[in-house]
Amino acid sequence: MTVIFSGIQPTGRKHLGNHIGAIVQYVEGQDRGDPAIYCIVDLHAITVEYDPAVLRERVLDTAAILIAAGLDPDRCIFFRQADVEEHTELCWLLASVTSVGELNRMHQFRDKSVAQRQLVSAGLLFYPVLQAADVLAYRAGEVPVGEDQREHLELMRDIARRFNERFGEILVVPEHRIPVVGARVRDLQVPERKMSTTGGSEQGTVYVLDEPDAIRRKFRRAVTDSGTDIVRAPDKPGVSNLIEIYAAVRGVDPAAIEQELVGSGYGQLKAVVGDAVAEWLTPVRERYAELRGDEAALEGQLAAGAEKARAIASGVVADVRDAMGVGPARGSVGGGA
Ligand code: ATP
Ligand code: MG
């Protein structure tokens, strides 16, 4: 049994890529992890332009979506990042073993800084250090995330290794866990790009909370490729994407989908995938509406989760402080745990 950790940004508009690449993995991991820890990362969300009042709402939206999708706060540790101050403290401590050159080379930093109209914040550059702190604060061994986070995972592993070389074996070097199918769900209109919260096309992005008709319509209009064969291929990003989404929804191998649909046309493919996704997400949307109405219950669940999280993170951060010689020696008057 291993500690599982993953974080997700607070937006009310979780899309099918988040659902398949992350949320479904979280639900699957909650009985495997010892414990499984999932965090809504409001501190990451403030690295780009945002509205403070809206951010609070989005945290609750996201909490309700995850619980609606099957996350059970009693079977995992589910909390809001900013409620556990150890994350920000560890971020600063780890900054001392992180190179600016590496941060500056991260693709997400490059992409998102170009998109900023007003200010490219230092927070955006520091995003991967905070992300490393999120995971390392729990000595997590496994991090379920989509393909787009591979680079940040590698950096976090480097940070943990460098810390351990310099200060002793304190931190666990985590493993990346990318789903076999659906690690990179693509935009239905621009299948060369990943489906994305911030960078995607409106018609090409299927939201978990979309009405079934909207979902079917988006799939009907999905961009496919020239040709007629329903097979995955590098020059068929649109068709490959539809096959992979269908496989993820059905929980089968994409090769089985290819076999099943031999002789069908692209129109049929889009229709069956659209129907399957609409049906798959309907119970999540319905349950969401019930849960989102009770904000006090959601806040209560997040607060209880934060308490459980803090119980673990505070011990790890105390070890890190101690190894780094920061603050008073452990056991001295006024010292830590
Ligand atoms: P942004 O585009 O602003 O970075 P996002 O859509 O990537 O937002 P996040 O909250 O950053 O949303 O991602 C949450 C999780 O979903 C991460 O584990 C990420 O790897 C995964 N994920 C995001 N997009 C996809 C996708 N298109 N396919 C599969 N997994 C994805
Ligand atoms: Mg992302």
PDB file of all heavy atoms in Angstrom, residues 20 25 177-184 232 244 253-254:
ATOM      1  N   ILE A  20     -11.658  11.910 -17.164  1.00  0.00           N
ATOM      2  CA  ILE A  20     -11.033  10.627 -17.507  1.00  0.00           C
ATOM      3  C   ILE A  20      -9.590  10.564 -16.992  1.00  0.00           C
ATOM      4  O   ILE A  20      -9.162   9.560 -16.427  1.00  0.00           O
ATOM      5  CB  ILE A  20     -11.060  10.399 -19.036  1.00  0.00           C
ATOM      6  CG1 ILE A  20     -12.514  10.254 -19.512  1.00  0.00           C
ATOM      7  CG2 ILE A  20     -10.234   9.184 -19.424  1.00  0.00           C
ATOM      8  CD1 ILE A  20     -12.660  10.160 -21.022  1.00  0.00           C
ATOM      9  N   GLN A  25      -9.534   8.358 -11.992  1.00  0.00           N
ATOM     10  CA  GLN A  25      -8.367   7.736 -11.342  1.00  0.00           C
ATOM     11  C   GLN A  25      -8.405   7.952  -9.823  1.00  0.00           C
ATOM     12  O   GLN A  25      -7.995   7.097  -9.048  1.00  0.00           O
ATOM     13  CB  GLN A  25      -7.043   8.296 -11.878  1.00  0.00           C
ATOM     14  CG  GLN A  25      -6.968   8.470 -13.380  1.00  0.00           C
ATOM     15  CD  GLN A  25      -7.102   7.160 -14.109  1.00  0.00           C
ATOM     16  OE1 GLN A  25      -6.560   6.146 -13.664  1.00  0.00           O
ATOM     17  NE2 GLN A  25      -7.832   7.167 -15.210  1.00  0.00           N
ATOM     18  N   ARG A 177       1.801   8.304 -12.179  1.00  0.00           N
ATOM     19  CA  ARG A 177       0.865   7.273 -12.623  1.00  0.00           C
ATOM     20  C   ARG A 177      -0.070   7.872 -13.671  1.00  0.00           C
ATOM     21  O   ARG A 177      -1.011   8.587 -13.355  1.00  0.00           O
ATOM     22  CB  ARG A 177       0.057   6.736 -11.437  1.00  0.00           C
ATOM     23  CG  ARG A 177      -0.872   5.615 -11.841  1.00  0.00           C
ATOM     24  CD  ARG A 177      -1.732   5.194 -10.671  1.00  0.00           C
ATOM     25  NE  ARG A 177      -2.794   4.309 -11.094  1.00  0.00           N
ATOM     26  CZ  ARG A 177      -2.666   2.985 -11.157  1.00  0.00           C
ATOM     27  NH1 ARG A 177      -1.536   2.414 -10.819  1.00  0.00           N
ATOM     28  NH2 ARG A 177      -3.663   2.240 -11.564  1.00  0.00           N
ATOM     29  N   ILE A 178       0.225   7.567 -14.919  1.00  0.00           N
ATOM     30  CA  ILE A 178      -0.572   8.087 -16.021  1.00  0.00           C
ATOM     31  C   ILE A 178      -1.551   6.999 -16.434  1.00  0.00           C
ATOM     32  O   ILE A 178      -1.163   5.844 -16.561  1.00  0.00           O
ATOM     33  CB  ILE A 178       0.331   8.451 -17.217  1.00  0.00           C
ATOM     34  CG1 ILE A 178       1.374   9.474 -16.788  1.00  0.00           C
ATOM     35  CG2 ILE A 178      -0.488   8.993 -18.370  1.00  0.00           C
ATOM     36  CD1 ILE A 178       2.257   9.959 -17.913  1.00  0.00           C
ATOM     37  N   PRO A 179      -2.830   7.322 -16.601  1.00  0.00           N
ATOM     38  CA  PRO A 179      -3.776   6.266 -16.999  1.00  0.00           C
ATOM     39  C   PRO A 179      -3.385   5.652 -18.341  1.00  0.00           C
ATOM     40  O   PRO A 179      -2.780   6.305 -19.181  1.00  0.00           O
ATOM     41  CB  PRO A 179      -5.107   7.006 -17.096  1.00  0.00           C
ATOM     42  CG  PRO A 179      -4.789   8.452 -17.134  1.00  0.00           C
ATOM     43  CD  PRO A 179      -3.461   8.634 -16.479  1.00  0.00           C
ATOM     44  N   VAL A 180      -3.731   4.374 -18.500  1.00  0.00           N
ATOM     45  CA  VAL A 180      -3.366   3.673 -19.736  1.00  0.00           C
ATOM     46  C   VAL A 180      -4.132   4.262 -20.924  1.00  0.00           C
ATOM     47  O   VAL A 180      -3.596   4.494 -22.002  1.00  0.00           O
ATOM     48  CB  VAL A 180      -3.690   2.167 -19.605  1.00  0.00           C
ATOM     49  CG1 VAL A 180      -3.116   1.393 -20.768  1.00  0.00           C
ATOM     50  CG2 VAL A 180      -3.148   1.630 -18.289  1.00  0.00           C
ATOM     51  N   VAL A 181      -5.407   4.519 -20.708  1.00  0.00           N
ATOM     52  CA  VAL A 181      -6.235   5.109 -21.756  1.00  0.00           C
ATOM     53  C   VAL A 181      -6.761   6.442 -21.233  1.00  0.00           C
ATOM     54  O   VAL A 181      -7.187   6.548 -20.094  1.00  0.00           O
ATOM     55  CB  VAL A 181      -7.431   4.183 -22.085  1.00  0.00           C
ATOM     56  CG1 VAL A 181      -8.370   4.858 -23.071  1.00  0.00           C
ATOM     57  CG2 VAL A 181      -6.929   2.866 -22.626  1.00  0.00           C
ATOM     58  N   GLY A 182      -6.682   7.483 -22.074  1.00  0.00           N
ATOM     59  CA  GLY A 182      -7.288   8.757 -21.687  1.00  0.00           C
ATOM     60  C   GLY A 182      -6.363   9.688 -20.926  1.00  0.00           C
ATOM     61  O   GLY A 182      -6.811  10.612 -20.260  1.00  0.00           O
ATOM     62  N   ALA A 183      -5.051   9.474 -21.045  1.00  0.00           N
ATOM     63  CA  ALA A 183      -4.109  10.364 -20.364  1.00  0.00           C
ATOM     64  C   ALA A 183      -4.061  11.717 -21.045  1.00  0.00           C
ATOM     65  O   ALA A 183      -3.610  12.702 -20.474  1.00  0.00           O
ATOM     66  CB  ALA A 183      -2.717   9.745 -20.367  1.00  0.00           C
ATOM     67  N   ARG A 184      -4.511  11.753 -22.285  1.00  0.00           N
ATOM     68  CA  ARG A 184      -4.494  13.004 -23.022  1.00  0.00           C
ATOM     69  C   ARG A 184      -5.720  13.076 -23.924  1.00  0.00           C
ATOM     70  O   ARG A 184      -5.657  12.764 -25.114  1.00  0.00           O
ATOM     71  CB  ARG A 184      -3.196  13.076 -23.853  1.00  0.00           C
ATOM     72  CG  ARG A 184      -2.966  14.412 -24.477  1.00  0.00           C
ATOM     73  CD  ARG A 184      -1.676  14.420 -25.289  1.00  0.00           C
ATOM     74  NE  ARG A 184      -1.556  15.645 -26.044  1.00  0.00           N
ATOM     75  CZ  ARG A 184      -1.095  16.780 -25.530  1.00  0.00           C
ATOM     76  NH1 ARG A 184      -0.684  16.834 -24.302  1.00  0.00           N
ATOM     77  NH2 ARG A 184      -1.041  17.867 -26.270  1.00  0.00           N
ATOM     78  N   ARG A 232      -6.738   3.901 -34.653  1.00  0.00           N
ATOM     79  CA  ARG A 232      -5.866   4.918 -34.071  1.00  0.00           C
ATOM     80  C   ARG A 232      -4.599   5.031 -34.913  1.00  0.00           C
ATOM     81  O   ARG A 232      -4.040   4.004 -35.311  1.00  0.00           O
ATOM     82  CB  ARG A 232      -5.480   4.535 -32.642  1.00  0.00           C
ATOM     83  CG  ARG A 232      -6.604   4.665 -31.638  1.00  0.00           C
ATOM     84  CD  ARG A 232      -6.302   3.867 -30.395  1.00  0.00           C
ATOM     85  NE  ARG A 232      -6.153   2.454 -30.722  1.00  0.00           N
ATOM     86  CZ  ARG A 232      -5.476   1.593 -29.989  1.00  0.00           C
ATOM     87  NH1 ARG A 232      -4.869   1.977 -28.902  1.00  0.00           N
ATOM     88  NH2 ARG A 232      -5.398   0.326 -30.364  1.00  0.00           N
ATOM     89  N   GLU A 244     -10.408   6.509 -28.137  1.00  0.00           N
ATOM     90  CA  GLU A 244      -9.885   6.447 -26.760  1.00  0.00           C
ATOM     91  C   GLU A 244     -10.927   6.882 -25.731  1.00  0.00           C
ATOM     92  O   GLU A 244     -11.019   6.298 -24.653  1.00  0.00           O
ATOM     93  CB  GLU A 244      -8.624   7.314 -26.631  1.00  0.00           C
ATOM     94  CG  GLU A 244      -7.468   6.749 -27.423  1.00  0.00           C
ATOM     95  CD  GLU A 244      -6.151   6.840 -26.654  1.00  0.00           C
ATOM     96  OE1 GLU A 244      -6.128   7.453 -25.572  1.00  0.00           O
ATOM     97  OE2 GLU A 244      -5.157   6.274 -27.158  1.00  0.00           O
ATOM     98  N   ASP A 253     -10.370  -2.032 -23.835  1.00  0.00           N
ATOM     99  CA  ASP A 253      -9.173  -1.690 -24.588  1.00  0.00           C
ATOM    100  C   ASP A 253      -9.576  -0.990 -25.900  1.00  0.00           C
ATOM    101  O   ASP A 253     -10.536  -1.408 -26.541  1.00  0.00           O
ATOM    102  CB  ASP A 253      -8.433  -2.996 -24.895  1.00  0.00           C
ATOM    103  CG  ASP A 253      -7.020  -2.719 -25.341  1.00  0.00           C
ATOM    104  OD1 ASP A 253      -6.810  -2.521 -26.560  1.00  0.00           O
ATOM    105  OD2 ASP A 253      -6.143  -2.669 -24.466  1.00  0.00           O
ATOM    106  N   PRO A 254      -8.841   0.061 -26.299  1.00  0.00           N
ATOM    107  CA  PRO A 254      -9.186   0.743 -27.564  1.00  0.00           C
ATOM    108  C   PRO A 254      -9.192  -0.214 -28.760  1.00  0.00           C
ATOM    109  O   PRO A 254      -9.965  -0.016 -29.709  1.00  0.00           O
ATOM    110  CB  PRO A 254      -8.083   1.789 -27.709  1.00  0.00           C
ATOM    111  CG  PRO A 254      -7.544   1.993 -26.341  1.00  0.00           C
ATOM    112  CD  PRO A 254      -7.729   0.722 -25.585  1.00  0.00           C
TER     113      PRO A 254
END
